[in-house]
Amino acid sequence: MSVCDEVYAKVVEKHPGQPEFHQAVKEVLESLKLTEAKRPDYVKYKVYERIVEPDRAIIFRVPWVDDKGEVQINRGYRVQFNNAIGPYKGGLRFHPSVNLGIIKFLGFEQIFKNSLTTLPMGGAKGGSDFDPKGKSDMEVMRFCQAFMRELFRHIGPDTDVPAGDIGVGAREIGYMYGYYKKLVNEHTGVLTGKGLEYGGSLIRPEATGYGSTYFAAEMLATRGKEIKGLVAAVSGSGNVAQYTVEKVNQLGGKVITLSDSNGTVVDEKGIDAKKLAWVMELKNVRRGRIEEYAKEFNVAYYAGKSVWEVITEQGIRIDLAFPSAHENEIDGKTASGLVKNGCFLVSEGANMPSTPEAQDIFLDNNVLYGPAKAANAGGVATSGLEMSQNSLRLSWDREEVDMRLQKIMKAIHKNALDAAAAYGHPGNYIVGANLAGFIKVANVMVANGVV
Ligand code: NDP
Ligand code: 2IT
């Protein structure tokens, strides 16, 4: 049995009932096995054992009062996973499905993703089982303040810098930042994704979707292809999905799908800039459902179906897939459906959107498969650029930030490809991203001793 196999068995035993965490760890350890023989120092320093155990996991009660005057109790989390290469960094997710296992899987992935960005950031994640859907702005504000009332003592610009994720966007970051400032009496870069007027960075809202599209373009270039003229399916209709559509359009592609947790729309004519502006108003201002798109533009709506089920069941031809909603949204069946319907590239905007079975199907069918920790790293990379600007006390213009983002996505793509080739798996971006992300962190964990 390899060391990594033993470590995985222990993780399953010591973290029961956390299947998403097991899934994320298993995929990474499969890749890390390749380093065991070459790096006896990693074995000696027990880097594999140490990297799967969070530095700390903070769980707290979040009591708040709703508009009816009733007391509500949610649970808050912050898992600070690894700070070998920089302060803890990673988003906050507000969604009823949040539990400790979900936050641990996301925090674990973040270690390698953040390392890949080339910037000095450790890995963390947090959030709550609070559901912002259907809540008034004042309720969301009171929740955010209650959440920060505990979180503030665990974070700081050189300690841990949270940001957004599902259910946490500009509004929530604004309320949390305002309350942090009130509590600590400091105006610092303690959160990213801030509004432009109080320390935010241009391009941060766009960065995850733009980044996963840039990553797709890099993968296509290895086969002498470009996005221009290709048909894409995007899932979700939140932050990542919206800016993926924008960038695919700008690069001359056509996006024909969007979804939310209620269903999927298919618009064969393409979701152009005008329709996208309508979606942004629907989702970010009115906070409505994607079903309204079907009525507004007279296209098909599939209630209760994911984008991937609709493509599979309706036999819709696509070239590119950008899963941008949530974990495990593509399973083995729909992965086969995608391949059957012409899909030859998957660039993951969401975190861990493909099940292990789906990943195997993509690899077996020579699909250009860009795993989340590489493909969606543009978001946290631009958070890193926001931190740099906060430290410098100046702001870069759009062109400067976008140029840096593009450079980072190119570097991630190259480093992943190089690592995959160096360890005998050319073209396998899963192995490449895991190893390129890991080696930097592991070297520091050896250099800094057993801490
Ligand atoms: P948003 O909250 O802005 O949007 C999420 C979208 O996904 C919504 O359309 C939502 O539908 C849908 N969705 C979420 N959960 C489910 C579910 N369980 N079933 C069906 N649909 C669901 O989040 P983001 O766009 O920020 O995040 C999307 C993904 O991208 C997540 O996996 C996140 O971790 C990842 N990511 C985000 C980054 C960022 O910078 N924001 C960076 C890197 C990755 P509904 O409104 O109905 O819930
Ligand atoms: O999953 C992710 O990388 C994010 N939600 C963004 C994290 C960040 O700190 O910008």
Side-chain angles (χ1 to χ4, degrees):
M1 218 186 190
S2 75
V3 175
C4 286
D5 284 334
E6 283 172 27
V7 171
Y8 178 66
K10 270 200 207 128
V11 165
V12 172
E13 192 189 311
K14 283 177 69 177
H15 306 258
Q18 301 183 347
E20 293 85 3
F21 179 53
H22 302 168
Q23 183 183 334
V25 168
K26 185 168 191 180
E27 184 215 275
V28 170
L29 286 175
E30 280 299 319
S31 303
L32 302 196
K33 263 184 205 172
L34 300 166
T35 62
E36 282 178 28
K38 282 193 187 176
R39 296 300 301 259
D41 51 338
Y42 293 172
V43 178
K44 180 175 163 202
Y45 280 84
K46 299 222 163 158
V47 169
Y48 308 106
E49 286 86 341
R50 285 158 60 202
I51 207 162
V52 298
E53 190 70 34
D55 288 355
R56 64 190 67 79
I58 302 147
I59 303 183
F60 49 99
R61 180 179 64 242
V62 188
W64 57 283
V65 180
D66 70 16
D67 285 348
K68 293 189 210 115
E70 206 172 303
V71 177
Q72 299 286 344
I73 314 287
N74 287 98
R75 189 172 290 172
Y77 302 89
R78 186 72 180 166
V79 175
Q80 297 174 333
F81 226 112
N82 185 298
N83 67 350
I85 65 169
Y88 302 109
K89 180 86 195 87
L92 297 170
R93 176 178 290 191
F94 293 168
H95 192 273
S97 63
V98 164
N99 59 43
L100 183 59
I102 295 274
I103 299 298
K104 273 159 67 177
F105 116 64
L106 291 162
F108 180 71
E109 290 277 291
Q110 204 82 43
I111 304 171
F112 310 95
K113 185 197 304 195
N114 292 5
S115 168
L116 282 168
T117 65
T118 71
L119 302 174
M121 297 180 289
K125 201 83 183 193
S128 174
D129 57 0
F130 173 72
D131 186 359
K133 243 181 254 157
K135 304 286 190 303
S136 71
D137 283 349
M138 288 301 169
E139 287 179 321
V140 170
M141 181 181 78
R142 286 196 293 275
F143 173 81
C144 288
Q145 293 180 340
F147 185 80
M148 192 48 93
R149 208 136 52 221
E150 174 60 36
L151 187 68
F152 86 97
R153 68 187 82 246
H154 306 289
I155 62 176
D158 296 311
T159 305
D160 183 358
V161 182
D165 194 80
I166 292 177
V168 178
R171 174 182 62 171
E172 291 75 18
I173 294 289
Y175 291 149
M176 285 191 275
Y177 188 79
Y179 206 67
Y180 180 88
K181 182 162 55 90
K182 181 83 181 170
L183 287 169
V184 180
N185 198 25
E186 275 178 13
H187 213 307
T188 66
V190 70
L191 295 173
T192 59
K194 300 186 291 299
L196 285 182
E197 304 86 348
Y198 62 95
S201 175
L202 286 160
I203 304 285
R204 177 62 190 91
E206 294 88 338
T208 312
Y210 278 19
S212 82
T213 314
Y214 292 146
F215 196 83
E218 288 299 309
M219 291 196 289
L220 284 172
T222 65
R223 295 195 189 160
K225 294 189 157 103
E226 53 181 22
I227 286 180
K228 197 169 174 202
L230 298 180
V231 176
V234 174
S235 65
S237 48
N239 172 268
V240 178
Q242 292 168 15
Y243 288 104
T244 302
V245 176
E246 182 163 290
K247 186 50 75 179
V248 170
N249 283 341
Q250 285 171 7
L251 296 179
K254 180 167 89 168
V255 178
I256 61 165
T257 63
L258 279 174
S259 67
D260 61 22
S261 51
N262 293 93
T264 290
V265 291
V266 179
D267 184 347
E268 300 270 7
K269 289 202 194 107
I271 300 160
D272 60 18
K274 228 172 124 188
K275 291 173 183 170
L276 178 62
W278 188 92
V279 171
M280 287 183 173
E281 207 269 333
L282 171 77
K283 285 288 168 184
N284 310 346
V285 183
R286 283 198 286 129
R287 299 183 191 273
R289 311 309 302 158
I290 202 67
E291 183 177 7
E292 292 182 43
Y293 181 101
K295 294 197 184 109
E296 177 74 15
F297 299 109
N298 197 23
V299 300
Y301 176 68
Y302 299 88
K305 297 275 180 196
S306 73
V307 167
W308 321 114
E309 287 168 329
V310 172
I311 289 171
T312 303
E313 290 165 15
Q314 304 296 320
I316 296 166
R317 302 293 296 175
I318 60 156
D319 301 302
L320 317 173
F322 292 91
S324 308
H326 61 96
E327 54 276 3
N328 291 328
E329 56 179 293
I330 306 182
D331 60 10
K333 193 169 162 211
T334 50
S336 299
L338 287 177
V339 171
K340 206 169 139 213
N341 287 294
C343 175
F344 64 92
L345 177 146
V346 178
S347 189
E348 296 185 332
N351 283 306
M352 205 168 76
S354 305
T355 64
E357 296 74 30
Q359 289 185 322
D360 287 345
I361 288 164
F362 294 142
L363 294 186
D364 290 348
N365 286 280
N366 203 25
V367 170
L368 288 164
Y369 173 69
K373 56 175 83 66
N376 74 32
V380 72
T382 309
S383 280
L385 300 176
E386 182 172 331
M387 289 166 73
S388 304
Q389 293 168 80
N390 291 163
S391 298
L392 292 166
R393 297 188 189 283
L394 51 77
S395 5
W396 296 325
D397 60 23
R398 273 186 88 81
E399 291 68 31
E400 169 89 26
V401 181
D402 194 30
M403 185 267 295
R404 286 177 186 267
L405 170 62
Q406 289 187 51
K407 213 168 132 191
I408 288 170
M409 296 315 297
K410 272 183 199 290
I412 294 172
H413 179 266
K414 181 176 185 311
N415 293 342
L417 263 194
D418 288 352
Y423 282 84
H425 291 261
N428 182 328
Y429 292 97
I430 301 179
V431 169
N434 287 338
L435 290 181
F438 169 72
I439 289 166
K440 188 163 90 177
V441 176
N443 288 347
V444 176
M445 289 173 73
V446 171
N448 284 174
V450 179
V451 289

mmCIF file of all heavy atoms in Angstrom, residues 355-391:
data_model
loop_
_atom_site.group_PDB
_atom_site.id
_atom_site.type_symbol
_atom_site.label_atom_id
_atom_site.label_comp_id
_atom_site.label_asym_id
_atom_site.label_seq_id
_atom_site.Cartn_x
_atom_site.Cartn_y
_atom_site.Cartn_z
ATOM 1 N N THR A 355 -18.295 14.447 -11.162
ATOM 2 C CA THR A 355 -18.049 13.292 -10.282
ATOM 3 C C THR A 355 -16.813 12.539 -10.808
ATOM 4 O O THR A 355 -16.414 12.727 -11.970
ATOM 5 C CB THR A 355 -19.249 12.319 -10.282
ATOM 6 O OG1 THR A 355 -19.397 11.789 -11.607
ATOM 7 C CG2 THR A 355 -20.536 13.012 -9.847
ATOM 8 N N PRO A 356 -16.223 11.652 -9.986
ATOM 9 C CA PRO A 356 -15.074 10.874 -10.474
ATOM 10 C C PRO A 356 -15.414 10.085 -11.739
ATOM 11 O O PRO A 356 -14.582 9.976 -12.650
ATOM 12 C CB PRO A 356 -14.771 9.931 -9.303
ATOM 13 C CG PRO A 356 -15.320 10.618 -8.096
ATOM 14 C CD PRO A 356 -16.504 11.408 -8.553
ATOM 15 N N GLU A 357 -16.638 9.554 -11.828
ATOM 16 C CA GLU A 357 -17.049 8.795 -13.031
ATOM 17 C C GLU A 357 -17.051 9.724 -14.242
ATOM 18 O O GLU A 357 -16.597 9.343 -15.331
ATOM 19 C CB GLU A 357 -18.462 8.201 -12.853
ATOM 20 C CG GLU A 357 -18.600 7.167 -11.741
ATOM 21 C CD GLU A 357 -18.577 7.776 -10.331
ATOM 22 O OE1 GLU A 357 -19.011 8.936 -10.158
ATOM 23 O OE2 GLU A 357 -18.098 7.090 -9.403
ATOM 24 N N ALA A 358 -17.558 10.933 -14.061
ATOM 25 C CA ALA A 358 -17.591 11.893 -15.176
ATOM 26 C C ALA A 358 -16.165 12.234 -15.622
ATOM 27 O O ALA A 358 -15.866 12.279 -16.824
ATOM 28 C CB ALA A 358 -18.338 13.157 -14.748
ATOM 29 N N GLN A 359 -15.276 12.440 -14.645
ATOM 30 C CA GLN A 359 -13.879 12.761 -14.987
ATOM 31 C C GLN A 359 -13.263 11.640 -15.830
ATOM 32 O O GLN A 359 -12.589 11.912 -16.830
ATOM 33 C CB GLN A 359 -13.050 12.934 -13.709
ATOM 34 C CG GLN A 359 -13.377 14.186 -12.928
ATOM 35 C CD GLN A 359 -12.455 14.366 -11.740
ATOM 36 O OE1 GLN A 359 -12.074 13.396 -11.073
ATOM 37 N NE2 GLN A 359 -12.064 15.595 -11.467
ATOM 38 N N ASP A 360 -13.506 10.388 -15.416
ATOM 39 C CA ASP A 360 -12.933 9.256 -16.162
ATOM 40 C C ASP A 360 -13.455 9.246 -17.599
ATOM 41 O O ASP A 360 -12.701 8.983 -18.545
ATOM 42 C CB ASP A 360 -13.297 7.925 -15.480
ATOM 43 C CG ASP A 360 -12.516 7.727 -14.184
ATOM 44 O OD1 ASP A 360 -11.521 8.458 -13.982
ATOM 45 O OD2 ASP A 360 -12.911 6.868 -13.377
ATOM 46 N N ILE A 361 -14.738 9.525 -17.767
ATOM 47 C CA ILE A 361 -15.325 9.523 -19.120
ATOM 48 C C ILE A 361 -14.680 10.629 -19.970
ATOM 49 O O ILE A 361 -14.339 10.408 -21.138
ATOM 50 C CB ILE A 361 -16.862 9.665 -19.036
ATOM 51 C CG1 ILE A 361 -17.435 8.345 -18.505
ATOM 52 C CG2 ILE A 361 -17.480 10.035 -20.384
ATOM 53 C CD1 ILE A 361 -18.843 8.406 -18.001
ATOM 54 N N PHE A 362 -14.461 11.790 -19.393
ATOM 55 C CA PHE A 362 -13.820 12.867 -20.157
ATOM 56 C C PHE A 362 -12.405 12.461 -20.573
ATOM 57 O O PHE A 362 -12.002 12.631 -21.724
ATOM 58 C CB PHE A 362 -13.795 14.170 -19.343
ATOM 59 C CG PHE A 362 -15.166 14.756 -19.088
ATOM 60 C CD1 PHE A 362 -15.477 15.357 -17.879
ATOM 61 C CD2 PHE A 362 -16.153 14.693 -20.066
ATOM 62 C CE1 PHE A 362 -16.747 15.890 -17.640
ATOM 63 C CE2 PHE A 362 -17.425 15.232 -19.852
ATOM 64 C CZ PHE A 362 -17.719 15.824 -18.625
ATOM 65 N N LEU A 363 -11.649 11.905 -19.626
ATOM 66 C CA LEU A 363 -10.260 11.535 -19.948
ATOM 67 C C LEU A 363 -10.227 10.414 -20.989
ATOM 68 O O LEU A 363 -9.439 10.464 -21.944
ATOM 69 C CB LEU A 363 -9.494 11.105 -18.697
ATOM 70 C CG LEU A 363 -9.247 12.190 -17.638
ATOM 71 C CD1 LEU A 363 -8.358 11.659 -16.521
ATOM 72 C CD2 LEU A 363 -8.639 13.462 -18.209
ATOM 73 N N ASP A 364 -11.110 9.422 -20.824
ATOM 74 C CA ASP A 364 -11.124 8.283 -21.759
ATOM 75 C C ASP A 364 -11.506 8.712 -23.176
ATOM 76 O O ASP A 364 -11.194 8.016 -24.145
ATOM 77 C CB ASP A 364 -12.125 7.203 -21.290
ATOM 78 C CG ASP A 364 -11.637 6.501 -20.037
ATOM 79 O OD1 ASP A 364 -10.458 6.683 -19.684
ATOM 80 O OD2 ASP A 364 -12.439 5.799 -19.381
ATOM 81 N N ASN A 365 -12.236 9.822 -23.288
ATOM 82 C CA ASN A 365 -12.695 10.262 -24.608
ATOM 83 C C ASN A 365 -11.898 11.445 -25.147
ATOM 84 O O ASN A 365 -12.369 12.166 -26.038
ATOM 85 C CB ASN A 365 -14.190 10.595 -24.562
ATOM 86 C CG ASN A 365 -15.029 9.330 -24.485
ATOM 87 O OD1 ASN A 365 -15.269 8.676 -25.491
ATOM 88 N ND2 ASN A 365 -15.433 8.957 -23.279
ATOM 89 N N ASN A 366 -10.703 11.643 -24.564
ATOM 90 C CA ASN A 366 -9.804 12.677 -25.074
ATOM 91 C C ASN A 366 -10.410 14.088 -25.047
ATOM 92 O O ASN A 366 -10.105 14.938 -25.889
ATOM 93 C CB ASN A 366 -9.388 12.305 -26.513
ATOM 94 C CG ASN A 366 -8.089 12.969 -26.906
ATOM 95 O OD1 ASN A 366 -7.267 13.307 -26.035
ATOM 96 N ND2 ASN A 366 -7.898 13.194 -28.201
ATOM 97 N N VAL A 367 -11.320 14.311 -24.088
ATOM 98 C CA VAL A 367 -11.893 15.657 -23.911
ATOM 99 C C VAL A 367 -10.829 16.535 -23.255
ATOM 100 O O VAL A 367 -10.121 16.083 -22.358
ATOM 101 C CB VAL A 367 -13.156 15.565 -23.013
ATOM 102 C CG1 VAL A 367 -13.646 16.945 -22.593
ATOM 103 C CG2 VAL A 367 -14.257 14.782 -23.723
ATOM 104 N N LEU A 368 -10.717 17.768 -23.714
ATOM 105 C CA LEU A 368 -9.841 18.728 -23.038
ATOM 106 C C LEU A 368 -10.534 19.076 -21.725
ATOM 107 O O LEU A 368 -11.547 19.789 -21.719
ATOM 108 C CB LEU A 368 -9.665 19.978 -23.891
ATOM 109 C CG LEU A 368 -8.809 19.830 -25.151
ATOM 110 C CD1 LEU A 368 -9.043 21.003 -26.098
ATOM 111 C CD2 LEU A 368 -7.327 19.712 -24.785
ATOM 112 N N TYR A 369 -10.011 18.536 -20.625
ATOM 113 C CA TYR A 369 -10.718 18.651 -19.349
ATOM 114 C C TYR A 369 -9.924 19.523 -18.375
ATOM 115 O O TYR A 369 -8.875 19.115 -17.874
ATOM 116 C CB TYR A 369 -10.967 17.243 -18.760
ATOM 117 C CG TYR A 369 -11.532 17.290 -17.369
ATOM 118 C CD1 TYR A 369 -12.835 17.751 -17.152
ATOM 119 C CD2 TYR A 369 -10.779 16.925 -16.268
ATOM 120 C CE1 TYR A 369 -13.355 17.840 -15.871
ATOM 121 C CE2 TYR A 369 -11.299 16.999 -14.981
ATOM 122 C CZ TYR A 369 -12.581 17.460 -14.798
ATOM 123 O OH TYR A 369 -13.087 17.558 -13.519
ATOM 124 N N GLY A 370 -10.426 20.729 -18.130
ATOM 125 C CA GLY A 370 -9.762 21.681 -17.228
ATOM 126 C C GLY A 370 -10.409 21.622 -15.858
ATOM 127 O O GLY A 370 -11.520 22.125 -15.670
ATOM 128 N N PRO A 371 -9.747 20.958 -14.869
ATOM 129 C CA PRO A 371 -10.359 20.808 -13.551
ATOM 130 C C PRO A 371 -10.450 22.143 -12.815
ATOM 131 O O PRO A 371 -9.661 23.056 -13.045
ATOM 132 C CB PRO A 371 -9.405 19.845 -12.839
ATOM 133 C CG PRO A 371 -8.092 20.040 -13.499
ATOM 134 C CD PRO A 371 -8.383 20.422 -14.927
ATOM 135 N N ALA A 372 -11.434 22.189 -11.901
ATOM 136 C CA ALA A 372 -11.768 23.436 -11.209
ATOM 137 C C ALA A 372 -10.560 24.171 -10.644
ATOM 138 O O ALA A 372 -10.427 25.384 -10.810
ATOM 139 C CB ALA A 372 -12.751 23.125 -10.092
ATOM 140 N N LYS A 373 -9.677 23.441 -9.972
ATOM 141 C CA LYS A 373 -8.643 24.172 -9.238
ATOM 142 C C LYS A 373 -7.694 24.918 -10.174
ATOM 143 O O LYS A 373 -7.052 25.881 -9.765
ATOM 144 C CB LYS A 373 -7.910 23.291 -8.224
ATOM 145 C CG LYS A 373 -7.275 22.047 -8.761
ATOM 146 C CD LYS A 373 -6.476 21.347 -7.670
ATOM 147 C CE LYS A 373 -7.263 20.461 -6.736
ATOM 148 N NZ LYS A 373 -7.860 19.268 -7.342
ATOM 149 N N ALA A 374 -7.663 24.518 -11.442
ATOM 150 C CA ALA A 374 -6.917 25.294 -12.431
ATOM 151 C C ALA A 374 -7.836 26.269 -13.158
ATOM 152 O O ALA A 374 -7.571 27.469 -13.240
ATOM 153 C CB ALA A 374 -6.269 24.339 -13.439
ATOM 154 N N ALA A 375 -8.968 25.755 -13.659
ATOM 155 C CA ALA A 375 -9.807 26.552 -14.562
ATOM 156 C C ALA A 375 -10.496 27.722 -13.869
ATOM 157 O O ALA A 375 -10.694 28.769 -14.487
ATOM 158 C CB ALA A 375 -10.842 25.643 -15.223
ATOM 159 N N ASN A 376 -10.883 27.559 -12.579
ATOM 160 C CA ASN A 376 -11.593 28.686 -11.949
ATOM 161 C C ASN A 376 -10.711 29.497 -11.002
ATOM 162 O O ASN A 376 -11.208 30.331 -10.238
ATOM 163 C CB ASN A 376 -12.896 28.216 -11.276
ATOM 164 C CG ASN A 376 -12.684 27.452 -9.972
ATOM 165 O OD1 ASN A 376 -11.738 27.717 -9.229
ATOM 166 N ND2 ASN A 376 -13.584 26.527 -9.668
ATOM 167 N N ALA A 377 -9.395 29.308 -11.104
ATOM 168 C CA ALA A 377 -8.471 30.010 -10.203
ATOM 169 C C ALA A 377 -8.372 31.506 -10.491
ATOM 170 O O ALA A 377 -7.787 32.257 -9.697
ATOM 171 C CB ALA A 377 -7.079 29.373 -10.286
ATOM 172 N N GLY A 378 -8.941 31.953 -11.598
ATOM 173 C CA GLY A 378 -8.878 33.386 -11.928
ATOM 174 C C GLY A 378 -9.578 34.258 -10.897
ATOM 175 O O GLY A 378 -9.186 35.411 -10.681
ATOM 176 N N GLY A 379 -10.616 33.700 -10.243
ATOM 177 C CA GLY A 379 -11.340 34.477 -9.236
ATOM 178 C C GLY A 379 -10.454 34.789 -8.045
ATOM 179 O O GLY A 379 -10.244 35.957 -7.690
ATOM 180 N N VAL A 380 -9.890 33.747 -7.464
ATOM 181 C CA VAL A 380 -9.051 33.983 -6.278
ATOM 182 C C VAL A 380 -7.749 34.689 -6.679
ATOM 183 O O VAL A 380 -7.196 35.470 -5.902
ATOM 184 C CB VAL A 380 -8.796 32.675 -5.492
ATOM 185 C CG1 VAL A 380 -7.854 31.737 -6.212
ATOM 186 C CG2 VAL A 380 -8.277 32.984 -4.100
ATOM 187 N N ALA A 381 -7.276 34.447 -7.897
ATOM 188 C CA ALA A 381 -6.067 35.161 -8.356
ATOM 189 C C ALA A 381 -6.315 36.670 -8.350
ATOM 190 O O ALA A 381 -5.477 37.458 -7.885
ATOM 191 C CB ALA A 381 -5.670 34.693 -9.753
ATOM 192 N N THR A 382 -7.495 37.055 -8.825
ATOM 193 C CA THR A 382 -7.798 38.490 -8.859
ATOM 194 C C THR A 382 -8.088 39.015 -7.451
ATOM 195 O O THR A 382 -7.834 40.188 -7.154
ATOM 196 C CB THR A 382 -8.938 38.754 -9.855
ATOM 197 O OG1 THR A 382 -8.584 38.130 -11.096
ATOM 198 C CG2 THR A 382 -9.145 40.234 -10.093
ATOM 199 N N SER A 383 -8.563 38.138 -6.564
ATOM 200 C CA SER A 383 -8.618 38.517 -5.146
ATOM 201 C C SER A 383 -7.208 38.816 -4.642
ATOM 202 O O SER A 383 -6.997 39.769 -3.880
ATOM 203 C CB SER A 383 -9.208 37.378 -4.309
ATOM 204 O OG SER A 383 -10.606 37.351 -4.378
ATOM 205 N N GLY A 384 -6.254 37.998 -5.060
ATOM 206 C CA GLY A 384 -4.852 38.247 -4.689
ATOM 207 C C GLY A 384 -4.384 39.597 -5.231
ATOM 208 O O GLY A 384 -3.665 40.333 -4.537
ATOM 209 N N LEU A 385 -4.821 39.925 -6.436
ATOM 210 C CA LEU A 385 -4.448 41.233 -7.005
ATOM 211 C C LEU A 385 -5.139 42.369 -6.238
ATOM 212 O O LEU A 385 -4.566 43.451 -6.076
ATOM 213 C CB LEU A 385 -4.824 41.289 -8.492
ATOM 214 C CG LEU A 385 -4.147 40.242 -9.396
ATOM 215 C CD1 LEU A 385 -4.674 40.349 -10.833
ATOM 216 C CD2 LEU A 385 -2.622 40.394 -9.371
ATOM 217 N N GLU A 386 -6.348 42.105 -5.739
ATOM 218 C CA GLU A 386 -7.028 43.111 -4.899
ATOM 219 C C GLU A 386 -6.234 43.331 -3.600
ATOM 220 O O GLU A 386 -6.040 44.466 -3.154
ATOM 221 C CB GLU A 386 -8.459 42.645 -4.589
ATOM 222 C CG GLU A 386 -9.273 43.637 -3.769
ATOM 223 C CD GLU A 386 -10.753 43.237 -3.627
ATOM 224 O OE1 GLU A 386 -11.291 42.568 -4.533
ATOM 225 O OE2 GLU A 386 -11.358 43.613 -2.607
ATOM 226 N N MET A 387 -5.721 42.235 -3.029
ATOM 227 C CA MET A 387 -4.906 42.354 -1.806
ATOM 228 C C MET A 387 -3.644 43.171 -2.077
ATOM 229 O O MET A 387 -3.237 44.006 -1.275
ATOM 230 C CB MET A 387 -4.525 40.962 -1.284
ATOM 231 C CG MET A 387 -5.693 40.187 -0.698
ATOM 232 S SD MET A 387 -5.328 38.432 -0.468
ATOM 233 C CE MET A 387 -4.214 38.469 0.937
ATOM 234 N N SER A 388 -3.021 42.913 -3.247
ATOM 235 C CA SER A 388 -1.802 43.663 -3.595
ATOM 236 C C SER A 388 -2.112 45.148 -3.699
ATOM 237 O O SER A 388 -1.378 45.992 -3.168
ATOM 238 C CB SER A 388 -1.249 43.205 -4.944
ATOM 239 O OG SER A 388 -1.013 41.828 -4.931
ATOM 240 N N GLN A 389 -3.224 45.479 -4.367
ATOM 241 C CA GLN A 389 -3.589 46.893 -4.531
ATOM 242 C C GLN A 389 -3.897 47.527 -3.176
ATOM 243 O O GLN A 389 -3.529 48.671 -2.916
ATOM 244 C CB GLN A 389 -4.792 47.025 -5.473
ATOM 245 C CG GLN A 389 -4.461 46.625 -6.911
ATOM 246 C CD GLN A 389 -5.712 46.477 -7.774
ATOM 247 O OE1 GLN A 389 -6.272 47.449 -8.260
ATOM 248 N NE2 GLN A 389 -6.160 45.243 -7.960
ATOM 249 N N ASN A 390 -4.567 46.775 -2.276
ATOM 250 C CA ASN A 390 -4.862 47.304 -0.943
ATOM 251 C C ASN A 390 -3.566 47.597 -0.185
ATOM 252 O O ASN A 390 -3.445 48.622 0.490
ATOM 253 C CB ASN A 390 -5.715 46.323 -0.141
ATOM 254 C CG ASN A 390 -7.140 46.178 -0.674
ATOM 255 O OD1 ASN A 390 -7.847 45.234 -0.351
ATOM 256 N ND2 ASN A 390 -7.593 47.109 -1.502
ATOM 257 N N SER A 391 -2.591 46.690 -0.315
ATOM 258 C CA SER A 391 -1.323 46.904 0.394
ATOM 259 C C SER A 391 -0.572 48.102 -0.179
ATOM 260 O O SER A 391 0.064 48.852 0.559
ATOM 261 C CB SER A 391 -0.436 45.663 0.274
ATOM 262 O OG SER A 391 -1.072 44.573 0.878
#
